Amino acid sequence: MRKIITALLLMFVLFQSGTLQAQDLLRSTDLSTLKVDYLSDSDIAKIKTQLQSNNTTIEQVEPIALAKGMSAEEFAKLKLRLGGAQSSPTGVSNKDNFDEKKEELSRKQDKIVNKKVKDTLNSLVFGSELFDNPELNFEPNLKLATPVNYILGPGDELQISVYGVQEFSASVPVTMEGKVNIQYVGQISVSGMTIEAATQKIRGAISRVYSTVASGQSQVGISLSRIRTIKVTIIGSKQPGNYSISSLATVYNALFMGGGPGKNGSYRNIELLRNNKVYKNIDIYKFLVNGNQSDNVGLKDNDVIRIPAYTQRVTVEGQVKRPGIFEMKSGETFKDLLSFASGFNEFAYTASVNVLQKTSKDFKVKDIKSSEFSSYRPLAGDVYRVSKILNRFENRIKIEGAVFRPDIYSFYEGMRVSDLIAQADGLKEDAYTNRATIVRLKSDLTTEVTNVNLAKALAGDAQADIPLKKEDIVTVYSILDFVEEYKITIDGEINKPGVYDYHDNLTLNDLLVQAGGLTGSASKRVEIARMIKSDEINDANSNRVQLFNLEINAGNNEQIKNFELMPFDVVNIRRMAVYEKPEMVTVSGAVNYTGKYVLASKKEKIYDVIQRAGGLSAIANLDGVKIKRPIQAKQIEDLENIDLNLGKKDSIQNKLAKKLTEDLKYAIIPVEWRNIVKDPNDKTNVTLFSGDVIEVSIYNESVKVTGSVLLTSEIPYEKGKGFDYYLSSVGGTDAKGWKKKAYIIYPNGKAAVSNTFLFIRSYPKVLPGSQIVIPEKPETRKMSTGEWVSIGSIITSIALLVITAFKP
């Protein structure tokens, strides 16, 4: 009991001392006993007020506080709390928040980052890619459990927790003296101890203060919450210098940070110096070739990694899996070099390797046989060239043509034609057995042809079954190769006209069925044209073909079975003399019965069809009858492709252009209906064609005036009034109007233009429903003064020539 009271009194004194020092941070003479963990939020607020009243920052106070005995770790805690601590509602110490920030700071511990740039200069050096790849950095995984053999030192931080009946939790740093200061327990020296040994030592010290730990009612958990940073020096790397890295970092990690060996640095004899002695020699090839990381040892503070210059490098080119520049150690052979290059690839010539060597004066070439690979020792500067195997075969033979398996086969001594055919699964049914050819390569690489009688060779004739040689090409011909390809042509009233293959015994009926049978319009007449073949020219007979005329029943394809066709025959199925589908025209507008009407005869007139439509109605314009006749499809396509250059600016113009294109798909035939009624034989009583559209306009008691006029309008028709009357009714022409080229479009589609007689211009008669169009004057360019002068000069010159020519 006395011990507990003494500990409480000691803790109270320390707390009061810390509070007094906190209240007067700038004036205190000794800050060595100040513990930031014991300061409440109100104490922190007082320190902030004191700094503000003196118009100073915490950074400015740092050298003063350190000079008065405050440790750097305590000052870092104070700085952290001054920057982010908040008052708790109860005003007690916000130590939990501080612990969380400290843990977050530990998580944000500086990571090993080294921006990598591709080393193009040393890209061929084997191993350089290991330090150019930013995805491969050997960074230690800090999220794993701390190794039990980890050696503690200043800068590490331990997370100590007591849980069970009694509870306690704190993040305790290892001080510069190598000790941890645990509340209520005291200072414990852990520097140089493994984490496992330190755990046992700290657990024993806590059990002497917390009785429940000794009895087992509470447990103690100790882990490494923050790892210290150590400094190492790298010499001879691409980026030499001093580096601060995690104490869990290894040699490869440090080499990666330094960018790997420099331009002339060794990859196989890297020295790790510890306490001024070579602790280990590192050979990176162990990792590159075999994945062996035995040289990837952990680092300690003040370690030095020295990368000396290489002593021997050689180059491997050609057909290896990994060509490049390799570093060799003393005693290694070409076989070792080949393993560094991952061996030959599948196209390499492996019997020997050519090497280019350097002497003291010049170069020399040497060939290394495959038997010398394990004994030959490469020299510095050697260039090994692994060539490609030749594109030739030592036992190839080929068969093609009318065999079941034409292909390339392996040749063996004593092989004959029958043996090769047996390997190709024998001859096909269409094989030509009287002759086969063998193309053979002679010693001077020229070729010769040898003929073989296959029938005798396969029958066992030893003389015909000749021996083969490598690279022979045996060709077995097919009888189909000698047969001309015959065709038959059928056209006319058949469902599938075209060209068909000819076969022996092919009849006309067979061809009709093959071509899909006759159409409904087929007549009974069939004409067959057959080529005339003769070895002699008969001048008396000028016929080019022989014609056959047959009769068939269009409703039955099964007939004329006995008429046999010959190659290249041309069969024509004629069309019935009378076989026309009903054709229609359309009547629209001011008739009694509009719609479509079938042409009753080939000479059906417009008058007849309008009469069938009930005649003109009471509102019909007798001068407004016209026929719109479709033009040919090809002409329509040409019209649709016309570019009117209207662009997309004016939608009205585009609509007008579209309508114009639609109208151009029809040819307009004006009809003089008044004349037809008087005389049905009038020339405008035309014969109708299929697709014609008869339009009868409704009587319109107005005249439309459009074009380059001041006002586009419709003026009521007034009998006896002429062209000028209607033009003046819309204000006349505008500045661009071209009156003398005006024209009138009548309701029946006919147009009339003005004409001149003895300088007197007359205009066509205006009828109801007409449209007067005033076109626009074409743009003209006035000649400049210079052009007039040029013309005058030319006229003057011509006049002088004429005068000179007529002088006596």
Side-chain angles (χ1 to χ4, degrees), residues 494-557:
I494 195 77
N495 285 316
K496 294 186 289 184
V499 178
Y500 293 86
D501 292 330
Y502 171 80
H503 307 287
D504 290 341
N505 302 321
L506 181 70
T507 66
L508 176 60
N509 181 66
D510 299 329
L511 182 60
L512 292 177
V513 174
Q514 192 175 356
L518 304 175
T519 63
S521 60
S523 70
K524 60 182 180 179
R525 296 184 60 191
V526 178
E527 182 182 84
I528 301 174
R530 179 169 295 168
M531 62 183 293
I532 297 176
K533 296 184 291 183
S534 176
D535 291 333
E536 297 179 357
I537 298 176
N538 185 1
D539 295 331
N541 185 5
S542 62
N543 293 335
R544 301 179 62 182
V545 295
Q546 182 181 3
L547 295 178
F548 299 92
N549 289 297
L550 307 174
E551 289 190 1
I552 61 174
N553 180 4
N556 181 16
N557 290 319

Side-chain angles (χ1 to χ4, degrees), residues 78-278:
L78 178 62
K79 186 177 179 180
L80 183 63
R81 290 195 65 183
L82 287 173
Q86 297 178 350
S87 298
S88 62
T90 59
V92 297
S93 174
N94 199 5
K95 182 176 180 300
D96 291 339
N97 290 340
F98 176 61
D99 290 340
E100 290 178 4
K101 287 188 174 291
K102 195 162 57 171
E103 183 178 354
E104 182 180 357
L105 183 64
S106 176
R107 287 197 302 268
K108 293 182 179 180
Q109 186 178 6
D110 291 340
K111 293 185 177 180
I112 301 170
V113 178
N114 188 16
K115 186 177 180 180
K116 293 298 170 186
V117 179
K118 185 67 179 176
D119 185 2
T120 56
L121 183 63
N122 291 337
S123 59
L124 292 178
V125 177
F126 179 57
S128 62
E129 71 278 3
L130 189 67
F131 304 101
D132 290 337
N133 185 0
E135 303 299 327
L136 182 66
N137 58 13
F138 301 98
E139 181 180 347
N141 190 351
L142 301 180
K143 296 181 181 180
L144 296 177
T146 306
V148 293
N149 60 348
Y150 179 77
I151 305 298
L152 294 173
D156 286 334
E157 186 175 86
L158 298 177
Q159 179 68 36
I160 302 175
S161 301
V162 177
Y163 53 92
V165 176
Q166 292 179 296
E167 291 188 356
F168 170 79
S169 179
S171 294
V172 183
V174 179
T175 64
M176 299 303 295
E177 293 79 15
K179 298 179 180 180
V180 291
N181 190 4
I182 304 174
Q183 188 179 6
Y184 310 133
V185 176
Q187 294 185 343
I188 303 172
S189 178
V190 295
S191 181
M193 299 178 65
T194 65
I195 185 69
E196 186 178 23
T199 299
Q200 297 298 328
K201 186 175 182 180
I202 295 172
R203 185 180 287 114
I206 292 175
S207 65
R208 289 194 291 272
V209 177
Y210 292 86
S211 58
T212 57
V213 173
S215 63
Q217 294 177 301
S218 298
Q219 302 295 325
V220 177
I222 299 173
S223 62
L224 196 63
S225 60
R226 187 170 65 182
I227 299 171
R228 71 183 183 274
T229 299
I230 62 174
K231 290 187 179 294
V232 296
T233 302
I234 305 177
I235 303 171
S237 63
K238 293 175 187 173
Q239 302 171 20
N242 293 323
Y243 290 88
S244 296
I245 60 177
S246 166
S247 58
L248 288 178
T250 62
V251 171
Y252 288 176
N253 186 199
L255 286 173
F256 182 83
M257 292 188 66
K263 177 181 178 181
N264 296 318
S266 172
Y267 285 77
R268 310 202 59 192
N269 192 30
I270 301 173
E271 298 175 348
L272 174 60
L273 304 176
R274 184 171 294 169
N275 298 325
N276 298 323
K277 295 180 180 180
V278 177

